[in-house]
Amino acid sequence: MVRVKLDGLSKYFGEVKAVDNLNLSIKDGEFVAFLGPSGCGKTTTLLMIAGIYRPTKGRIYFDDMDITNIAPKDRNVGMVFQSYALYPHMKVYDNIAFPLKLKKLPKNEIDRKVKQVAKLMQIDHLLDRYPRQLSGGQQQRVALARALVKDAYVLLMDEPLSNLDAKLRILMRAELKKLQKELEVTTIYVTHDQVEAMSMADRIAVMNEGRLQQYSTPDELYDKPANIFVAGFIGSPPMNLIDATFREDSGGYLVDAGSFKLRLEPGMGEVVKNNLTGQEIIFGARPENMEIVEAAEDNTIEGTVYVLEPLGRDLIVNVKVNDYMIKALTKPGVNLNPGDKVWLKVDLDKIHIFDKKTGKAVI
Amino acid sequence: MGRSQEIYIRAPRFGNINRILGKAVLYGVVTAMTLPIIIMYLWLFMQSVSEKVLIGFIPSGFTADGWRFLWGPVKFGEVLLPPIWPITLNSLIIALGVTGIEVSIALMAGYALSRLRVPFRDSFLILIIILHAFPGITLLIAIFYLLNVMGLINTLLSVIIAKAALEIPMATWLIKGFFDAVPWDVEASALVDGCSRLQAWYKVILPLVKPGVAAVAIFAFLAGWNEFIYALTFIFDPNLYPLSIHIIGLIGEFRYVDYTLLAATALFYSIPPLVFFVITQKAFMKVPLVGMKGA
Ligand SMILES: Nc1ncnc2c1ncn2[C@@H]1O[C@H](COP(=O)(O)OP(=O)(O)OP(=O)(O)O)[C@@H](O)[C@H]1O
Ligand SMILES: [Mg+2]
């Protein structure tokens, strides 16, 4: 419905910088997920967009209109609160109808809309109940229905599926995504479930400690994490991150982690050398890019199998290398036992190197 | 088979006995605690309808004489007492006036103290409690002076204003607690859904603090209804006296006391607060604060 632009948005609570200089543009009809650990400022950002919190600094635009100082009721946003925030004294029906009544819609239209959205959220049999008579998951769906019913310009959802069981959550994810595309409503979706973010969003904004870490498509986030935080946060099992140094060695380039050395392609080595501020690096490789081989080869890491974590479709092998652990992903059925000596062959095209000092990715 | 069935049947019976025993103990304790009050009211009632009561509260010689004040003026010794109904109306005006002013101001002030950023809020709240520790009687002369300046002496309004003013701080304090219990998110949600701040207040928050309103209203009504010393000080015209002063008149005027009349009047005096309590209770109590995660 509208484009959303956050321009240098900040919110300080005394000393705490809940949100710090957030710059973000969201296209009309785009589905953006805010992803980040607890306390990183996701809810605070949503509340600023909704108009509940006044930003300490910065502006908020809907299309080209500066709405920073506009009252919440005039912003026409729909919001699902993290705490649901249903009206305890109203029945489910009246909870959902409340925003429509305030818009002074005709009664029969309200009735039609409420029943339609209730059906969609599978709560049409609960319309006569009070919130206290509902389970957490049911309350959450009432909150969703209330936000969806009002044809908002922007939909803000704060962990709207957190309380549903696994099956219903997967179903609802698909429903919400489909609905969002149908309604073409600009949506911001807060979650700390990366699978949810990756599977639903057009773009993901990863936040940490009030700051935006990276804002890109799910694929890019996974393949090209911009810094160490994103690299460690996205992906499960997480990327292996190992302290190392980078140096030139007899005409080539070497990543030296002490217990193993990896020789880089000259082209890649050049890029690293040109972007690095020092010699200290963090070397990163995703578990699925580590192949387990049974004999030493060029560019392999030697270790012993420590523990196996079968996941059904995959098998995570924890390999102890010196005093740290490297996770490798393989298919089940390999004949490995704890204590076995193995070598990890790294797919050198898919490795990541971060500048330890700045935390930023250099390739 | 037979055995297990027996156990099956017996188990709940023990449960029942335990439950009944528990209830019996509970009711026993509550009865013992309220018994003195019940006996006093019983005595009051018996006294009001009999010429003479025996051993405490057994009536003898039924008479409606005590209640004669309801349908006509009462001659009490040499004095003709003023008719009861205008007096009752005076009391009602004072009680409802205090209730109206106190509830509406406390509601607004309580909301402000709970929700808005008021400077020195905490000190202010402590000050309210401290001030409440001083008996209102110490302000009698000062209040008299003020009311006199305002030209309100010898009006019902003087009692209403003085009483409400002294009760408002505590009522505000009380109702602030109820506002505090309403989660921020619910209010924020109302704002996002399209309410103005005022609409959110009366459409969403007010219904949730109904029990607080009830509590404050009951206290205010009782305070107004029972008010004696201000009425005695600020009002000179016997036609403006409330019931509380009227009753004192029944005791104080003469060497002998008409107990039957006194009992009936006292009983009559205690009816309106009861009615008010029942109405308020029905209308306001029991508002659940659920529909919130973790509540
Ligand atoms: N009203 C407030 N007063 C003071 N500090 C606050 C307030 N609201 C939030 N904070 C702080 O701001 C930071 C960000 O909080 P926020 O609620 O936005 O986190 P979040 O990303 O939504 O976390 P979660 O995933 O746990 O919901 C936290 O450190 C929090 O303690
Ligand atoms: Mg949050």
Side-chain angles (χ1 to χ4, degrees):
Chain A
M1 303 290 242
V2 294
R3 276 173 287 125
V4 178
K5 189 169 150 214
L6 310 181
D7 184 11
L9 202 61
S10 304
K11 179 74 189 176
Y12 304 157
F13 295 106
E15 292 288 290
V16 183
K17 293 186 172 178
V19 176
D20 196 14
N21 194 25
L22 183 60
N23 293 293
L24 206 70
S25 288
I26 299 167
K27 289 183 221 143
D28 190 351
E30 199 175 12
F31 192 129
V32 167
F34 281 6
L35 183 61
S38 192
C40 71
K42 305 181 294 287
T43 300
T44 307
T45 309
L46 284 201
L47 288 175
M48 283 193 284
I49 297 172
I52 302 300
Y53 283 160
R54 186 186 299 271
T56 313
K57 273 192 243 154
R59 321 291 311 167
I60 303 168
Y61 299 89
F62 283 3
D63 285 340
D64 291 321
M65 194 160 105
D66 183 344
I67 56 136
T68 316
N69 292 319
I70 287 186
K73 74 180 171 69
D74 301 321
R75 296 190 183 194
N76 194 27
V77 302
M79 179 154 179
V80 181
F81 285 77
Q82 196 168 9
S83 59
Y84 321 147
L86 301 180
Y87 309 121
H89 59 298
M90 296 183 199
K91 289 188 170 167
V92 168
Y93 183 97
D94 297 311
N95 261 280
I96 302 173
F98 191 66
L100 303 179
K101 282 183 187 157
L102 287 166
K103 280 189 176 178
K104 303 213 160 48
L105 259 57
K107 249 206 164 83
N108 53 350
E109 201 178 333
I110 293 181
D111 194 60
R112 189 179 55 78
K113 288 191 166 210
V114 169
K115 288 190 171 142
Q116 189 189 350
V117 75
K119 186 148 196 179
L120 203 66
M121 291 293 119
Q122 304 180 12
I123 47 171
D124 40 345
H125 57 298
L126 304 172
L127 290 174
D128 250 354
R129 297 211 198 157
Y130 284 98
R132 66 173 177 279
Q133 298 165 321
L134 303 180
S135 74
Q138 290 168 336
Q139 291 181 23
Q140 202 155 32
R141 280 178 282 155
V142 175
L144 262 167
R146 188 179 59 182
L148 287 170
V149 81
K150 63 186 280 195
D151 296 325
Y153 295 153
V154 180
L155 204 51
L156 307 171
M157 300 195 256
D158 202 343
E159 306 195 22
L161 306 182
S162 61
N163 241 21
L164 306 186
D165 63 66
K167 198 172 148 209
L168 191 57
R169 186 178 322 169
I170 289 167
L171 192 89
M172 280 287 179
R173 266 185 212 158
E175 283 294 334
L176 275 184
K177 187 169 175 175
K178 180 160 144 274
L179 193 67
Q180 192 269 341
K181 288 299 168 220
E182 272 170 28
L183 299 174
E184 297 180 330
V185 54
T186 314
T187 301
I188 302 177
Y189 188 103
V190 163
T191 177
H192 43 222
D193 179 347
Q194 46 171 301
V195 178
E196 205 162 282
M198 303 285 263
S199 64
M200 295 176 83
D202 299 322
R203 279 196 284 175
I204 299 175
V206 180
M207 295 178 67
N208 189 35
E209 295 182 342
R211 296 188 142 268
L212 183 64
Q213 304 293 315
Q214 188 170 358
Y215 181 41
S216 43
T217 62
D219 288 345
E220 196 175 320
L221 215 55
Y222 192 80
D223 294 334
K224 293 199 177 94
N227 56 38
I228 298 173
F229 176 80
V230 177
F233 193 73
I234 303 286
S236 171
M239 184 187 287
N240 296 297
L241 293 168
I242 299 154
D243 275 305
T245 54
F246 175 84
R247 64 181 141 85
E248 287 190 61
D249 175 80
S250 54
Y253 297 96
L254 216 56
V255 169
D256 186 351
S259 49
F260 64 88
K261 294 183 181 57
L262 298 175
R263 186 166 292 278
L264 298 187
E265 303 270 325
M268 189 185 261
E270 284 292 335
V271 177
V272 175
K273 185 185 147 199
N274 293 337
N275 289 329
L276 216 54
T277 55
Q279 288 213 312
E280 304 277 289
I281 60 162
I282 302 280
F283 164 77
R286 294 214 178 266
E288 64 267 32
N289 300 327
M290 301 271 210
E291 192 190 341
I292 295 175
V293 292
E294 286 171 10
E297 295 175 27
D298 273 355
N299 284 336
T300 51
I301 302 170
E302 185 185 328
T304 47
V305 176
Y306 186 72
V307 77
L308 302 168
E309 298 175 54
L311 295 178
R313 197 164 15 137
D314 301 309
L315 173 71
I316 303 173
V317 183
N318 288 265
V319 178
K320 197 165 156 58
V321 179
N322 262 6
D323 53 350
Y324 48 87
M325 207 66 76
I326 295 180
K327 283 176 192 284
L329 202 66
T330 166
K331 293 290 162 202
V334 292
N335 184 22
L336 287 173
N337 290 302
D340 288 356
K341 192 161 194 164
V342 290
W343 286 265
L344 296 166
K345 188 171 175 197
V346 185
D347 184 347
L348 284 176
D349 287 341
K350 302 240 167 98
I351 63 165
H352 303 268
I353 289 176
F354 304 94
D355 190 323
K356 189 169 182 183
K357 211 153 53 197
T358 61
K360 294 216 166 72
V362 290
I363 53 162
Chain B
M1 173 69 204
R3 196 180 135 86
S4 70
Q5 217 163 27
E6 193 180 317
I7 291 170
Y8 175 71
I9 291 166
R10 203 190 277 159
R13 198 186 288 157
F14 274 129
N16 269 344
I17 289 172
N18 273 341
R19 218 174 31 239
I20 290 167
L21 258 175
K23 280 212 165 158
V25 170
L26 186 71
Y27 281 111
V29 170
V30 172
T31 310
M33 271 161 38
T34 45
L35 208 56
I37 299 168
I38 291 172
I39 289 176
M40 282 196 287
Y41 272 98
L42 200 61
W43 174 82
L44 208 58
F45 177 70
M46 294 310 180
Q47 178 72 68
S48 76
V49 293
S50 55
E51 285 164 354
K52 194 173 161 52
V53 287
L54 311 170
I55 2 171
F57 51 88
I58 297 164
S60 70
F62 174 82
T63 169
D65 225 26
W67 294 89
R68 66 185 182 276
F69 63 85
L70 289 182
W71 44 83
V74 175
K75 197 154 162 48
F76 189 57
E78 298 298 307
V79 194
L80 191 70
L81 291 175
I84 196 84
W85 294 110
I87 297 283
T88 310
L89 189 65
N90 289 341
S91 272
L92 270 179
I93 289 173
I94 293 176
L96 291 176
V98 171
T99 309
I101 293 178
E102 194 178 324
V103 167
S104 41
I105 293 185
L107 263 176
M108 292 187 276
Y111 178 78
L113 283 172
S114 168
R115 287 297 204 250
L116 309 181
R117 217 178 299 143
V118 182
F120 306 112
R121 170 171 51 192
D122 293 344
S123 335
F124 188 71
L125 287 170
I126 293 170
L127 198 68
I128 287 178
I129 294 291
I130 295 176
L131 284 182
H132 206 76
F134 292 96
I137 199 101
T138 51
L139 297 172
L140 204 56
I141 295 167
I143 294 175
F144 187 95
Y145 185 79
L146 281 177
L147 290 171
N148 199 17
V149 169
M150 291 191 281
L152 291 176
I153 288 299
N154 203 21
T155 63
L156 290 178
L157 192 59
S158 66
V159 181
I160 295 175
I161 288 181
K163 194 65 197 171
L166 286 165
E167 295 279 322
I168 281 169
M170 206 59 201
T172 303
W173 210 85
L174 190 88
I175 212 153
K176 173 191 172 287
F178 283 85
F179 281 120
D180 286 346
V182 177
W184 259 112
D185 281 2
V186 171
E187 190 173 357
S189 182
L191 295 178
V192 170
D193 277 347
C195 285
S196 67
R197 192 111 203 200
L198 196 66
Q199 278 176 317
W201 186 74
Y202 75 76
K203 280 185 197 262
V204 172
I205 307 199
L206 209 52
L208 295 177
V209 297
K210 269 184 183 177
V213 177
V216 169
I218 288 169
F219 282 131
F221 186 89
L222 284 179
W225 186 259
N226 294 337
E227 183 47 42
F228 175 75
I229 195 77
Y230 292 150
L232 194 67
T233 318
F234 305 149
I235 294 176
F236 318 128
D237 180 355
N239 289 319
L240 292 178
Y241 279 163
L243 267 174
S244 53
I245 296 181
H246 180 82
I247 287 180
I248 289 292
L250 294 181
I251 306 170
E253 286 289 332
F254 284 99
R255 288 182 302 280
Y256 76 97
V257 179
D258 181 345
Y259 275 113
T260 312
L261 177 68
L262 181 61
T265 314
L267 215 53
F268 176 76
Y269 178 58
S270 64
I271 291 169
L274 278 179
V275 172
F276 187 80
F277 181 77
V278 170
I279 295 172
T280 336
Q281 160 113 346
K282 268 245 173 74
F284 289 132
M285 290 299 187
K286 288 192 209 147
V287 173
L289 271 183
V290 227
M292 299 290 303
K293 203 192 234 168

